[in-house]
């Protein structure tokens, strides 16, 4: 599958945490760099930072939006909030504000929301709330959404780093394969408007 070349230079901003910042890898091995390679007609800006929370992302977002005015924003935050046991109502409010911010800088902006799941030691009740948070945001805002974008790699030890939390270099093309259809749909939606 390829994005039509008639799109011109559309800007895509990725705001994420270590899962998008290629933690433990050369940055060029990460799925975001691979996305840029696969779609050279997109200007991909990776503003992901390892350890980033929704509050940190929210604080940085305005200046990123002012600078890049993205046509597409991939929002991949929330895991670090949950790993710290933070109030998920606050996390959800932060994500909602970020979703609402993008169209203020570029009215055409399409937001893609990437969700994750927590390790089992956080308990089923908290994880259920965490999953519900992403689902609510996606439904409320009619977003392109993947509830668990690491699903194809997360349970395969051969595709994970030693910590069991971060995908290794072999996993990155698999993650891109999972995310790419959402990016393609976002581009098609832009062209339709």
């Amino acid at each position: 599958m390829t994005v039509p070349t008639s799109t011109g230079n559309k800007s895509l901003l990725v705001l994420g945490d270590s899962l998008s910042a290629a933690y433990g890898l050369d940055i060029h091995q990460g799925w975001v760099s691979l996305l840029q390679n696969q779609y050279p007609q997109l200007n991909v800006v990776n503003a992901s930072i390892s350890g980033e929370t929704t509050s940190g992302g929210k604080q940085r977002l305005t200046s990123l939006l002012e600078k890049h005015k993205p046509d597409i924003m991939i929002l991949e935050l929330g895991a670090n909030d949950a790993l710290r046991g933070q109030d998920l109502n606050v996390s959800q409010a932060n994500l909602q504000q970020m979703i609402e911010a993008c169209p203020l800088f570029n009215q055409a902006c399409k937001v893609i929301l990437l969700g994750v799941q927590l390790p089992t030691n956080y308990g089923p009740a908290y994880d259920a709330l965490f999953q519900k948070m992403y689902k609510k945001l996606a439904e409320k805002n009619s977003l392109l959404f993947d509830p668990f974008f690491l699903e194809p790699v997360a349970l395969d030890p051969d595709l994970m780093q030693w910590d069991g939390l971060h995908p290794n270099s072999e996993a990155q093309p698999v993650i891109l394969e999972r995310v790419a259809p959402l990016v393609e749909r976002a581009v098609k939606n832009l062209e339709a408007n």
Side-chain angles (χ1 to χ4, degrees):
M1 286 193 275
T2 57
V3 176
T5 48
S6 61
T7 58
N9 267 359
K10 298 289 185 195
S11 174
L12 185 151
L13 174 67
V14 181
L15 188 64
D17 52 32
S18 56
L19 300 174
S20 298
Y23 174 86
L25 307 172
D26 182 303
I27 190 71
H28 301 295
Q29 295 177 303
W31 70 266
V32 178
S33 285
L34 298 177
L35 177 73
Q36 176 67 86
N37 295 343
Q38 187 164 326
Y39 302 119
Q41 65 274 43
L42 291 175
N43 176 30
V44 178
V45 177
N46 192 355
S48 304
I49 296 178
S50 292
E52 185 69 287
T53 59
T54 60
S55 57
K58 187 177 80 168
Q59 287 173 347
R60 291 192 301 126
L61 184 58
T62 299
S63 63
L64 288 166
L65 292 175
E66 281 174 351
K67 184 175 180 184
H68 302 290
K69 297 179 178 53
D71 298 287
I72 301 166
M73 178 171 75
I74 297 179
L75 195 51
E76 182 273 303
L77 288 172
N80 288 308
D81 297 44
L83 293 174
R84 294 170 190 188
Q86 292 179 2
D87 182 344
L88 295 180
N89 290 319
V90 174
S91 303
Q92 184 171 328
N94 288 339
L95 288 165
Q96 180 62 40
Q97 287 173 40
M98 287 187 268
I99 291 162
E100 290 172 359
C102 199
L104 299 177
F105 292 86
N106 179 350
Q107 205 173 354
C109 183
K110 305 290 177 200
V111 179
I112 298 171
L113 183 63
L114 300 181
V116 292
Q117 288 184 9
L118 297 175
T120 51
N121 56 322
Y122 282 80
Y126 191 76
D127 188 48
L129 284 172
F130 187 58
Q131 297 307 312
K132 203 176 280 183
M133 173 185 80
Y134 287 118
K135 194 165 184 279
K136 275 188 204 164
L137 287 163
E139 287 172 359
K140 177 181 177 180
N141 299 284
S142 302
L143 302 179
L144 292 166
F145 171 54
D146 188 326
F148 188 24
F149 82 109
L150 295 184
E151 188 174 20
V153 303
L155 296 176
D156 185 342
D158 291 336
L159 294 176
M160 299 300 284
Q161 295 183 43
W162 61 270
D163 61 6
L165 294 173
H166 296 96
N168 63 23
S169 58
E170 286 78 24
Q172 301 300 314
V174 181
I175 296 168
L176 174 60
E177 203 174 303
R178 173 84 172 213
V179 175
L182 292 173
V183 173
E184 289 172 12
R185 281 174 62 194
V187 170
K188 285 190 177 118
N189 289 347
L190 285 169
E191 289 187 324
N193 292 337

